[in-house]
Amino acid sequence: MQTAIHDSGGRLTLGDLAAAERLGAAVAARLQTGDAVLLRGDLGAGKTTLARAILTALGHRGEVPSPTFTLVQSYDTPRLAVAHFDLYRLKSPDEVRELGFDDALAAGAALVEWPEQAEGHMPEERLEIALTAEPRAATLSGTGRWADLAAAIAGEAA
Ligand SMILES: Nc1ncnc2c1ncn2[C@@H]1O[C@H](COP(=O)(O)OP(=O)(O)OP(=O)(O)O)[C@@H](O)[C@H]1O
Ligand SMILES: [Mg+2]
């Protein structure tokens, strides 16, 4: 059922790390348990950098290593539990369940790099952020409760 789900959003340039931090803070301010943030973009597009900015804005202090090899890193931030996934090395889409994807959404929010590796397992309601390195930019879109929030975030972080 696609009722009451529509896309909206906006594009913003991310010229430097401070711009990524602004976007991360605008996303973090709206993040709740059950939310999925899909971070799309080629190698080096800035997905981990944005995940780091979101975690920092949620109050996490300390490192945010790329989950390239662990595939998932979990955080208990002061505000929210967050699971940071990098599905690039996923062997099959179903493996995302073994990584605890559903439990992560039940317990908190999920930030997902390379969601296309398990597209069928991603929730319909999500915030999508498509990143590019040349030029550094982000395009936001959302479905469900994120439809209006995507536009608000793009406006706030611009
Ligand atoms: N907005 C930005 N401004 C300047 N440099 C950035 C920005 N975003 C990311 N970078 C830099 O680009 C490089 C790659 O970023 P990052 O690791 O976040 O990419 P990624 O999309 O997660 O890559 P991968 O697909 O390998 O996981 C890093 O050196 C990072 O510091
Ligand atoms: Mg990465």
Side-chain angles (χ1 to χ4, degrees):
M1 289 277 288
Q2 290 282 330
T3 46
I5 302 240
H6 68 279
D7 283 284
S8 66
R11 186 169 190 279
L12 55 151
T13 51
L14 298 177
D16 54 17
L17 291 177
E21 279 160 20
R22 276 199 304 280
L23 174 56
V27 172
R30 290 153 177 98
L31 213 53
Q32 297 175 3
T33 294
D35 283 337
V37 179
L38 276 48
L39 301 169
R40 299 188 190 273
D42 289 340
L43 287 167
K47 302 178 293 297
T48 299
T49 300
L50 184 55
R52 205 167 271 146
I54 292 169
L55 282 159
T56 300
L58 287 169
H60 172 71
R61 294 294 170 261
E63 306 230 328
V64 177
S66 173
T68 310
F69 296 103
T70 56
L71 304 196
V72 59
Q73 296 279 346
S74 297
Y75 300 88
D76 250 322
T77 81
R79 258 246 293 124
L80 190 68
V82 177
H84 177 198
F85 292 87
D86 182 336
L87 305 183
Y88 188 72
R89 289 167 188 272
L90 208 65
K91 292 186 188 74
S92 78
D94 285 345
E95 198 190 342
V96 77
R97 302 183 149 222
E98 292 158 36
L99 290 175
F101 186 74
D102 294 341
D103 292 342
L105 281 183
L111 313 177
V112 189
E113 299 185 44
W114 297 103
E116 41 280 270
Q117 292 278 83
E119 200 71 66
H121 292 283
M122 295 297 113
E124 197 171 342
E125 179 163 335
R126 81 274 288 269
L127 173 64
E128 300 239 10
I129 306 179
L131 295 158
T132 54
E134 304 247 346
R136 293 245 172 237
T139 302
L140 279 76
S141 63
T143 51
R145 80 176 195 89
W146 288 104
D148 294 332
L149 291 179
I153 290 167
E156 190 178 306

